[in-house]
Amino acid sequence: MANVIKATDLTLAYNRGKNEIIKNANFSVKKGEFVFITGPSGSGKSTLLKSFYGHLKPAGGSLMVGGLDLTEVSTSKLQELRTHIGIVFQDYKLINEWTVAKNVVLPLMIAGYSLDVQHTQAQRLLRHVKLTEYANKHPFELSGGEQQRVGIARALAKNPMLILADEPTGNLDEYSSNVIWDLMENACGQLETTVVVVTHRIPTIFSLPYRHFIIENKGVYEVH
Amino acid sequence: MKFIKDHIMFILPLVAILLGIEFFLVFDRMTASYEQRLREGYSMLVVSNEPISLQELQSINKNIGQSIKIERDEILKEISLGQKQEDIKEILNVLPNFYTIKLAKYLDTSSLDELQKDLMANKKIKRVETFGNSYSSNYKLFSFIKFILKVFIVFMSVVSLFLVIKQMEVWGYVHKERMQVMEIFGAPIMLRSGVLFKVAIADALIATSIIVSLFLYFRYQIAEISGVDVLMNNSQLLFQPNDAVTLLLCAIIIVVISVYMVVFSSREKEA
C-alpha cells in the first residue's frame, strides 16, 4: 500500500523555528488506514494535524502528503491538495450564513461541480448522516452533534483520499460521539478513505483495526 | 435593513471620493479654460532696434507663442500729427520696432521674469514691458483659489478613505470566517472573495451612477438656467462623457484594492 502521509525527521515549530513542538518525527500512514493520534494537552496533536493540510510548514525534515512535499509547496499545489482532503474540526467551522445543504457541498462548489450535481450530492450526503430534513436550515439552528454530522458530510463530499479530524467529539455528549465515531469508521471501512483523528482518548467501542500514535516530549511514537 | 445599511456604509464614502475626483476634473477643465483666457488676454511689448522674427524670439525663449509687429506707420500716424515732413522722416529713421508678444502657455510670475531677462539679454532688444503687476495679481488670486480647492478635495478624499477603511474592517469581520473555511478546503482566492467582489462592484456602480446623475443634473438643469454667465457659458465643462469612464475606473480600482486587502487580511495565519 502506498503512503498517504510520510514524515521524515519532521520538525514543527512556531515563532520562526524558535518554539519547537515536534522534533525529528518519523512515521507514515498508508492508504485506507485509520490512525489515532493522542497525547496530553499542549503536546502538539493539533499542530501535527494542521501540518498535514499545509497550515503549518515543516521547520525541518520532510513531510509528504498525497505525494506532495509540503516543505516546499506552492499556493496553487496546496489548494489542489486541500481539495482531496476532508477536514473535521472540534468547533465544526460551518458557515453560518449558508444553509446546511450548501455547507455540505462546499468541496464540490470549490471543485466546480454543477448546481445539479451539488444538489443531488447534498441530498445523498445528508441522507448518509441522517440530516435530510435539515437541508434548508442554518448551522446555528442545529445541536452540536448535528453540526458535527454536517461537518463529516462536508468532509466526505468529494470522496477525499484523506480525512483529518481534530477532536471531532470534543464538544459532544456520549450519544452524539458514538454517532460520529460510527460515521468515521464507516468512511474508512466502506469508502477506504484514510482517516487520521486527533483525540484525547480513543473510543472504547471501536470495531475497526487502527494504528495509534502518541506524542510525548516532542516525539511521535507508535503504540503497539 | 441590514443589507441596505451595509451597502450605504460603503457607498457614501465612495461617493465622497468620486465627488472629490469629479470636482478635480471639473476644476481642472475650468482652470485650463481660465488659464487660456488669461493667456490670450495677456501680451507683452518688445521694442527692438532691428526687425526680429518669431523664430528668433522663440529661440530666445520657447514660451513665446506669437509675435505681432506693430506697424511703424501706424505709430507714426499717432505721434506725427502737426509735424513737418522732414521731422517725420527723422522720427521714422530713429523709430524702433514694436512687437506685441503672446505666450505659448500660461506662466507663473517667476517664469515671466525669466522670459523678460532672456529677451533683455538679446542685443537687438531695447526694452521689454511685461505689464507684470496686473498679471501677478490675477495669477496670485488664481493660485490661491486653486490651492484652497485642492486642499478641500484632498481633505475630503482622506476623510472618505478612512470611512472606506472602517467599512473594510466591517467586511473583514463579516466575511472572514467564510473565507477562512473556504481557504482550508482549497478554494482559490477569486472564489473565496466572490461574494465580496459582487457586493463591492455593485456599490462601485451605484456610487458612480449617483455622481454621474448629480453632475448631469448640474450641467443640464442648474447651469443652463442659472442665469449666471460663467456657469451658462461653461456648462459643458461641468460634465463630459469621459468623466463617467474615469469615475467608474477609479471606483473599481478602489473596491478591488479594498476587497483584496480584506481577503489578504482574512487569510488563515500560521499560529
Side-chain angles (χ1 to χ4, degrees):
Chain A
M1 283 278 188
N3 285 323
V4 173
I5 299 172
K6 183 165 174 60
T8 310
D9 294 328
L10 175 67
T11 298
L12 298 173
Y14 292 123
N15 296 332
R16 297 180 181 185
K18 286 177 198 158
N19 184 12
E20 283 182 343
I21 307 294
I22 304 285
K23 196 170 182 186
N24 297 329
N26 290 285
F27 61 91
S28 61
V29 178
K30 289 189 167 49
K31 188 176 182 299
E33 283 187 322
F34 200 110
V35 172
F36 282 110
I37 298 173
T38 62
S41 292
S43 59
K45 303 185 295 291
S46 295
T47 300
L48 184 62
L49 199 82
K50 282 175 183 172
S51 74
F52 296 158
Y53 62 89
H55 183 81
L56 186 68
K57 271 193 177 179
S62 84
L63 178 62
M64 305 284 289
V65 178
L68 195 68
D69 185 358
L70 296 188
T71 321
E72 292 295 331
V73 65
S74 66
T75 308
S76 58
K77 289 268 183 205
L78 187 62
Q79 279 174 357
E80 168 68 16
L81 174 72
R82 285 178 178 185
T83 62
H84 298 289
I85 300 175
I87 309 170
V88 181
F89 300 93
Q90 182 176 3
D91 59 355
Y92 327 124
K93 288 205 191 306
L94 300 174
I95 298 166
N96 274 316
E97 69 254 35
W98 288 3
T99 62
V100 164
K102 194 171 176 183
N103 267 282
V104 164
V105 294
L106 172 65
L108 302 178
M109 194 193 299
I110 291 168
Y113 284 79
S114 69
L115 285 174
D116 280 348
V117 174
Q118 288 179 33
H119 181 70
T120 316
Q121 288 299 309
Q123 285 180 323
R124 181 185 67 81
L125 289 158
L126 288 174
R127 210 166 32 246
H128 181 68
V129 295
K130 297 185 175 61
L131 287 173
T132 317
E133 68 275 26
Y134 293 93
N136 294 318
K137 286 191 183 292
H138 288 84
F140 57 81
E141 297 175 89
L142 275 59
S143 70
E146 286 162 347
Q147 288 193 53
Q148 194 58 295
R149 276 146 68 192
V150 175
I152 290 176
R154 179 178 64 184
L156 291 169
K158 213 174 146 255
N159 294 327
M161 64 160 182
L162 173 66
I163 289 180
L164 302 172
D166 189 2
E167 303 276 11
T169 59
N171 289 341
L172 305 180
D173 57 40
E174 197 180 343
Y175 172 77
S176 299
S177 298
N178 288 339
V179 174
I180 299 303
W181 290 127
D182 200 38
L183 287 167
M184 292 284 211
E185 277 191 75
N186 199 271
C188 185
Q190 290 180 13
L191 306 173
E192 295 183 353
T193 307
T194 309
V195 179
V196 178
V197 179
V198 157
T199 184
H200 270 98
R201 74 193 157 86
I202 296 169
T204 45
I205 306 163
F206 199 79
S207 56
L208 277 185
Y210 62 85
R211 288 170 72 201
H212 177 199
F213 291 101
I214 186 162
I215 301 179
E216 259 179 2
N217 302 321
K218 300 181 185 177
V220 180
Y221 308 100
E222 185 164 6
V223 181
H224 294 285
Chain B
M1 194 63 194
K2 190 179 170 295
F3 175 81
I4 294 168
K5 192 183 154 205
D6 286 348
H7 276 272
I8 286 175
M9 292 301 282
F10 189 64
I11 288 171
L12 278 183
L14 203 55
V15 162
I17 292 174
L18 296 183
L19 196 64
I21 293 168
E22 182 57 21
F23 266 136
F24 187 84
L25 293 174
V26 171
F27 184 65
D28 207 41
R29 282 194 291 268
M30 290 282 192
T31 53
S33 156
Y34 183 67
E35 280 176 1
Q36 192 187 353
R37 267 184 280 137
L38 273 184
R39 181 166 49 80
E40 284 169 0
Y42 173 77
S43 59
M44 299 166 73
L45 185 70
V46 170
V47 183
S48 69
N49 295 321
E50 296 168 36
I52 189 163
S53 69
L54 175 63
Q55 284 76 17
E56 264 181 283
L57 286 167
Q58 282 176 332
S59 70
I60 296 168
N61 191 302
K62 60 181 180 349
N63 290 320
I64 294 172
Q66 196 187 359
S67 75
I68 304 157
K69 188 174 182 185
I70 304 170
E71 289 304 325
R72 282 150 53 108
D73 292 343
E74 294 292 316
I75 301 165
L76 210 58
K77 260 189 219 168
E78 298 284 327
I79 61 173
S80 63
L81 284 174
Q83 300 285 327
K84 289 176 191 169
Q85 199 61 35
E86 299 88 68
D87 293 342
I88 292 170
K89 268 190 178 175
E90 188 131 339
I91 291 170
L92 193 63
N93 284 338
V94 293
L95 191 69
N97 298 282
F98 292 86
Y99 295 91
T100 299
I101 302 289
K102 298 266 184 190
L103 298 177
K105 64 174 186 183
Y106 187 74
L107 297 179
D108 59 25
T109 45
S110 63
S111 303
L112 204 62
D113 290 343
E114 203 177 305
L115 171 62
Q116 187 178 18
K117 269 184 204 163
D118 288 347
L119 289 169
M120 286 304 291
N122 189 286
K123 282 176 187 166
K124 285 183 184 177
I125 294 170
K126 259 176 92 173
R127 188 172 174 152
V128 177
E129 183 55 67
T130 59
F131 309 108
N133 281 345
S134 66
Y135 186 90
S136 173
S137 62
N138 276 339
Y139 177 77
K140 279 177 184 162
L141 178 68
F142 183 60
S143 301
F144 179 70
I145 295 170
K146 215 170 167 176
F147 172 74
I148 293 291
L149 263 163
K150 278 185 180 167
V151 167
F152 170 70
I153 289 166
V154 168
F155 176 75
M156 207 166 77
S157 301
V158 169
V159 171
S160 307
L161 214 60
F162 277 111
L163 290 173
V164 168
I165 291 168
K166 198 76 201 154
Q167 184 57 26
M168 280 162 57
E169 282 175 17
V170 174
W171 275 351
Y173 177 73
V174 174
H175 299 275
K176 188 176 180 176
E177 189 189 22
R178 189 193 67 248
M179 290 195 290
Q180 282 186 347
V181 172
M182 291 178 83
E183 189 180 3
I184 287 171
F185 280 88
I189 195 162
M190 283 311 289
L191 190 62
R192 294 202 300 267
S193 53
V195 175
L196 204 45
F197 263 116
K198 278 180 201 162
V199 171
I201 296 285
D203 290 354
L205 286 170
I206 294 168
T208 307
S209 309
I210 290 171
I211 298 298
V212 169
S213 312
L214 194 68
F215 276 81
L216 280 173
Y217 180 72
F218 280 156
R219 179 177 168 172
Y220 291 108
Q221 294 296 317
I222 294 184
E224 301 266 303
I225 57 161
S226 63
V228 181
D229 280 352
V230 70
L231 280 177
M232 288 169 78
N233 297 335
N234 297 298
S235 66
Q236 79 284 357
L237 299 178
L238 279 176
F239 186 81
Q240 291 184 351
N242 283 351
D243 292 4
V245 180
T246 309
L247 291 173
L248 186 62
L249 272 177
C250 291
I252 287 176
I253 289 169
I254 292 167
V255 300
V256 167
I257 292 172
S258 308
V259 169
Y260 270 109
M261 284 175 77
V262 172
V263 172
F264 282 109
S265 67
S266 303
R267 292 188 78 176
E268 42 152 2
K269 292 180 182 73
E270 288 186 3

